[in-house]
Amino acid sequence: MSRDPAREREALLTSAVRTVLGGTDAHGATVYLRSRDRRSLVLCAVAGVPLSVLGPFRRIAAAGPLPIAVTYRTGRTVLLADTEDTMRRFPQLAVGLPYDFASAYVPVRAGEEVFGVLGMLWAASDDGVPEAARRHARAVAARLAAGLAALEAAGHPVEPNGETTVVELTPPSAPTTRVGLFDWDVALGEVAADDQFCEIFGLAPGDFDGRAESLAARIAPGDLPEFRAAVRGALERGRVLAARLRVLDRDGHPYPVELWARVPRDGPGARGRLVGAVLDTRTGTAAAAAVERLREGVFSLDPDGRITYANHSVELLLQARREDLVGHHPWQVLPWLSDPVYENRYRAALLSQQPTAFLARRPPDHWLAFSLYPDAHGVTGRVVAADAPSDAAAAPAAEPAAPGTWTGLGVMYHLLQLASALSEAVTVREVCRAVADEILPALGGQELAIYTIREKHLHLVSQSGYPDGFLDRFEGTPVGARVPGAETLSTGTPIFFENVGQLAAAYPGLALDDMGAWAFLPLIASGHPVGSCILGFDRPRPFTLEERGLLTALAGFIAQALERARLYDAEFTLARGLQQALLPHRLPRLDGIRIAARYLPGTQGMEIGGDWYDAIVTGRDLCLVIGDVEGHSVGAAATMGQLRSAVRAFATGGNPPDEVLARTNELLLDLDPGLLASCCLVRLTPGEGTALLARAGHLPPVLRHPDGRAEALEVPGGPLLGVDQHAVYPISDLRLEPGSVLALYTDGLVEDPAVEIDAGVDRLRAALAGPEVGRLIAEAGLDGLADRVLREVGSTHRVDDVALMLTAYR
């Protein structure tokens, strides 16, 4: 039988979650897997934690500040002992889950491959995360990674498929219901039954003779007429559901059971047979009866917060019918419990695994005391009448929420996450992504468009959910145009349309899509118009005063972040333009020599850096230079420009590499900028295939030989420039064979927080080795190889600039 890869992956995730919970005493577990583009981590399996609670964390950025992302990037386990530890180290997580629990995050790693992260939650304690639990979790994560690696090696994808597996935990208590199965030939009076069926009827399995009369003798005499009527009805209608009767135990005492049966559709004598089950529910029935007799209310919530049981006293105290409560969240069916504070109490109990209590007022003035007792399988609740607190206004009765309005903690946490994300977003793109990621899920919107003003016209900078090409007609709309996205900005007032009719009546002829309600929000920062934000909802909806106020406040918040980001982008563009001007505009062309170079700015921060490269023709020789001034600032870039000019001047004068570095070192000390620099210089004589190499604190070049081997040239070098006035920079001889490729680079290419820098150099060596590299050079040239090196060696989370220069000798 061919295996189903999707089911195998789900089985691996389920097994990992169950195993880690069983061996660590954790009450909750999650598994995140990397997305296909490696930019996100997606929640793929969860147990013991409501999926609704993790809504804001279903997909997180791999480059983000949450502990799951840090574990994925570094490959190291992250341990958080309690709320204080979480708040201090990962405030973004504490904002979204402000509850007291300990947690651990373990990389799901096979070799150098990190597939995702296994997370666990414990009740907070002074001991934090137990050491034994850490070892067990690492072992489970390793087994999961091995299973995923095997699937991947077989050619099957292991990336998320968009679904989250909710693993149901087995209750710790034994089942309270026994089930016995039977097959009854009514015409012949013969019954085939399993051992459980016999025990329910008070018979030892070996003593049952298979006759219906023997079973009838085990039924309470008063219930025989009803039993026979149920059998006749089943034969006529084809089935019987939940016929109740009493059977006798071995001591002759009656107890209740339920009969479920049907007539088989086919087979010999089908119309005269019944197959089905008998349920012994007396333990559960007795327990329920005992709870029903209590004067205090007792109820049960599943892990997602829905009511699964409520006794009669709950009905009386809450003034609600059981059938209206079971299957629903209490804060959704009881308006006076709709305040988010009550849902928060439930979440706090479940995630912290600590009992909690609170008071609530049932209108008009009846006070109730609630107690919640959690475990990994849900929450048992108790409710009793209570006296009014001294400050009765502290817990007001909430008004019913209108259908479709934004209530509950999910919205609150999305908005808090938006605030946190906007505080960290520095570019316009990051601001727009944060708004799309948090606003649409929080408010239930389907479309989002953000426009900014440029030269008194609106220009789209971000959109989500719109049909392809729909917004093209609005590009460049004048600020004073008669369209809602422009008018909301010119008037400074939000515009809301609760249905299509309102929008069509206000703006006849305006192009519409399939949305049912809209909010057009002006983005104004410090009294200055920045742009407009448009939200679309797929169904008509009323916008309450509270919602309009919330959206207006959000618009101001977004505007401030967007304006700050626009200024950043402008300064960033200017700074990068200045830095690019300091780099060579073109590289020399020589017979037998090909050169390709790349420069990439760091992915974090705006300040320009000090990386540079150069290629200088000096008579019959070619000097290849790469260097890196420490720091990221205008001063670093200025020093880089001075050093580049100095190296070019000294090299053009015919000085050997060691003298070029020595004189550049003296110049840097004379300039005294307070900065150090590294440099590597190679003087190549193409006609002879020889080279002289000198290093000043720089990483070793990597040489690819014509046969496909690649090695790091660990030749002697001198100290960094700017350290020692009398520093000496040894020269090493190098012989290049035709077909060789020499790689010079700065440390930004090979740095990664998760590994030693030697491992990064080895990654570069591996990326240059092998016969496929030769084929790539033949097909795509040296530029194709440069792109491959950046793609395979460079980190997507780099904070430093990258300079790379490849030279091929033919």
Side-chain angles (χ1 to χ4, degrees):
M1 179 184 295
S2 61
R3 61 184 187 176
D4 184 341
R7 290 191 176 184
E8 283 200 36
R9 194 198 69 151
E10 183 176 345
L12 287 171
L13 298 178
T14 301
S15 175
V17 167
R18 290 187 185 279
T19 304
V20 80
L21 289 179
T24 62
D25 291 328
H27 68 262
T30 59
V31 178
Y32 283 80
L33 295 182
R34 70 190 184 204
S35 62
R36 190 175 299 276
D37 60 7
R38 311 292 179 93
R39 295 180 179 178
S40 302
L41 294 165
V42 182
L43 180 63
C44 292
V46 59
V49 183
L51 191 57
S52 58
V53 172
L54 296 178
F57 303 99
R58 294 282 289 273
R59 178 183 292 268
I60 64 175
L66 294 174
I68 295 167
V70 172
T71 296
Y72 173 73
R73 293 198 304 271
T74 64
R76 299 190 181 99
T77 298
V78 173
L79 305 174
L80 300 174
D82 52 27
T83 302
E84 292 183 2
D85 195 15
T86 303
M87 179 64 76
R88 183 177 65 255
R89 297 168 58 190
F90 297 98
Q92 296 82 0
L93 178 62
V95 165
L97 294 174
Y99 309 113
D100 195 17
F101 58 84
S103 58
Y105 307 90
V106 180
V108 179
R109 181 174 186 170
E112 296 299 318
E113 190 76 12
V114 180
F115 292 97
V117 177
L118 174 64
M120 291 137 287
L121 278 67
W122 290 266
S125 68
D126 294 338
D127 299 328
V129 179
E131 176 61 34
R134 305 177 203 175
R135 293 194 299 269
H136 182 73
R138 293 188 184 107
V140 172
R143 287 196 296 272
L144 173 58
L148 294 174
L151 274 180
E152 189 174 61
H156 303 304
V158 298
E159 287 81 8
N161 57 11
E163 298 180 357
T164 302
T165 300
V166 178
V167 181
E168 298 293 338
L169 302 180
T170 303
S173 59
T176 58
T177 300
R178 292 191 301 168
V179 179
L181 304 178
F182 67 89
D183 185 338
W184 182 7
D185 188 325
V186 179
L188 297 179
E190 297 177 352
V191 180
D194 64 5
D195 292 350
Q196 192 82 284
F197 182 94
C198 295
E199 291 180 0
I200 291 174
F201 273 78
L203 297 168
D207 295 339
F208 179 46
D209 58 9
R211 303 298 299 170
E213 292 86 351
S214 301
L215 291 181
R218 305 302 306 169
I219 298 175
D223 292 352
L224 276 173
E226 184 178 350
F227 169 68
R228 294 189 177 105
V231 172
R232 287 194 301 270
L235 293 174
E236 294 171 359
R237 295 188 299 270
R239 64 177 181 173
V240 59
L241 299 178
R244 297 178 181 273
L245 62 146
R246 293 172 299 159
V247 300
L248 305 177
D249 62 18
R250 296 188 181 184
D251 296 325
H253 300 131
Y255 63 89
V257 299
E258 289 183 2
L259 174 69
W260 296 66
R262 66 176 177 84
V263 175
R265 293 184 178 180
D266 49 28
R271 298 304 302 172
R273 290 173 54 217
L274 286 177
V275 294
V278 170
L279 282 64
D280 173 10
T281 59
R282 55 182 162 174
T283 305
T285 301
V291 176
E292 289 296 325
R293 288 189 287 269
L294 294 176
R295 296 298 179 91
E296 59 190 37
V298 177
F299 60 92
S300 176
L301 304 175
D302 67 14
D304 199 44
R306 291 182 174 86
I307 299 174
T308 57
Y309 171 78
N311 71 351
H312 180 61
S313 294
V314 167
E315 292 183 295
L316 298 177
L317 290 164
L318 304 187
Q319 291 292 285
R321 298 186 308 164
R322 237 181 297 210
E323 51 266 35
D324 295 330
L325 294 173
V326 173
H328 302 283
H329 297 100
W331 44 86
Q332 290 181 340
V333 295
L334 300 171
W336 48 276
L337 284 180
S338 63
D339 191 303
V341 69
Y342 301 123
E343 182 184 355
N344 187 54
R345 293 286 190 168
Y346 150 75
R347 293 188 179 203
L350 198 64
L351 290 183
S352 69
Q353 291 292 289
Q354 297 296 325
T356 187
F358 59 90
L359 287 175
R361 187 177 68 193
R362 193 195 79 217
D365 198 25
H366 300 279
W367 286 89
L368 301 174
F370 289 82
S371 302
L372 303 179
Y373 303 91
D375 70 4
H377 308 277
V379 173
T380 295
R382 174 178 173 270
V383 56
V384 296
D387 296 329
S390 56
D391 182 9
E399 294 297 325
T405 55
W406 304 317
T407 60
L409 293 176
V411 173
M412 181 190 305
Y413 292 153
H414 272 293
L415 300 183
L416 289 173
Q417 287 294 315
L418 173 63
S420 177
L422 288 181
S423 68
E424 297 181 356
V426 293
T427 68
V428 169
R429 177 178 295 181
E430 290 174 353
V431 168
C432 293
R433 183 170 62 243
V435 173
D437 289 347
E438 302 297 342
I439 285 288
L440 290 181
L443 305 182
Q446 283 69 44
E447 291 181 348
L448 170 73
I450 297 178
Y451 286 86
T452 58
I453 298 176
R454 190 168 66 248
E455 298 178 353
K456 297 184 179 180
H457 289 73
L458 290 174
H459 296 275
L460 182 69
V461 294
S462 178
Q463 69 89 16
S464 176
Y466 280 90
D468 292 340
F470 178 80
L471 295 177
D472 293 348
R473 71 200 77 189
F474 301 105
E475 180 62 21
T477 297
V479 172
R482 176 84 171 98
V483 294
E487 285 200 341
T488 187
L489 188 57
S490 60
T491 63
T493 304
I495 303 174
F496 299 93
F497 297 103
E498 299 181 345
N499 53 61
V500 176
Q502 290 182 1
L503 179 57
Y507 296 90
L510 182 70
L512 301 176
D513 56 8
D514 294 331
M515 293 294 102
W518 294 264
F520 295 86
L521 309 174
L523 302 181
I524 300 174
S526 303
H528 172 68
V530 175
S532 60
C533 176
I534 304 170
L535 285 168
F537 304 87
D538 61 354
R539 297 179 181 178
R541 63 179 304 120
F543 291 98
T544 65
L545 289 176
E546 291 78 6
E547 291 169 358
R548 295 178 185 228
L550 171 65
L551 287 171
T552 303
L554 282 174
F557 197 20
I558 295 169
Q560 294 286 349
L562 195 59
E563 180 67 359
R564 184 185 68 245
R566 288 177 63 187
L567 293 174
Y568 173 92
D569 283 349
E571 295 176 3
F572 182 87
T573 301
L574 175 61
R576 287 303 179 193
L578 291 173
Q579 186 169 34
Q580 291 290 346
L582 295 174
L583 297 173
H585 291 176
R586 61 177 180 271
L587 296 169
R589 297 176 178 271
L590 298 176
D591 291 339
I593 297 291
R594 287 176 292 170
I595 305 175
R598 296 288 187 273
Y599 173 82
L600 295 179
T603 58
Q604 297 180 15
M606 186 205 71
E607 295 181 325
I608 55 181
D611 291 21
W612 92 91
Y613 60 85
D614 208 348
I616 310 160
V617 178
T618 59
R620 66 191 187 101
D621 292 345
L622 173 67
C623 281
L624 305 172
V625 185
I626 199 158
D628 183 4
V629 177
E630 68 171 335
H632 294 80
S633 64
V634 173
T639 302
M640 177 267 280
Q642 293 172 311
L643 293 184
R644 176 176 175 252
S645 298
V647 170
R648 174 171 278 271
F650 296 146
T652 303
N655 295 291
D658 57 338
E659 292 186 16
V660 172
L661 292 182
R663 297 180 66 178
T664 304
N665 177 54
E666 293 173 359
L667 174 65
L668 182 58
L669 287 167
D670 290 341
L671 293 173
D672 193 21
L675 298 172
L676 305 177
S678 69
C679 187
C680 181
L681 191 151
V682 179
R683 191 179 190 99
L684 173 63
T685 305
E688 300 176 3
T690 59
L692 299 176
L693 167 63
R695 292 193 297 145
H698 203 84
L699 291 169
V702 174
L703 177 63
R704 170 186 162 82
H705 296 282
D707 60 3
R709 293 181 298 110
E711 63 173 322
L713 302 177
E714 299 284 358
V715 297
L720 291 167
L721 302 175
V723 174
D724 181 4
Q725 183 81 31
H726 306 290
V728 176
Y729 300 94
I731 288 182
S732 300
D733 295 320
L734 183 63
R735 182 78 185 179
L736 298 180
E737 299 294 334
S740 300
V741 176
L742 184 67
L744 303 181
Y745 56 96
T746 57
D747 54 5
L749 176 67
V750 295
E751 278 184 329
D752 191 319
V755 298
E756 299 291 336
I757 196 165
D758 289 344
V761 175
D762 193 58
R763 284 203 312 270
L764 173 59
R765 183 198 59 75
L768 294 173
E772 71 279 1
V773 175
R775 292 191 293 270
L776 176 64
I777 296 174
E779 296 171 1
L782 211 57
D783 286 309
L785 178 59
D787 293 337
R788 169 190 165 130
V789 168
L790 292 180
R791 185 171 60 251
E792 295 190 0
V793 180
S795 170
T796 57
H797 314 300
R798 66 181 184 278
V799 296
D800 203 357
D801 298 351
V802 171
L804 170 69
M805 186 162 60
L806 300 177
T807 304
Y809 174 61
R810 293 185 295 181

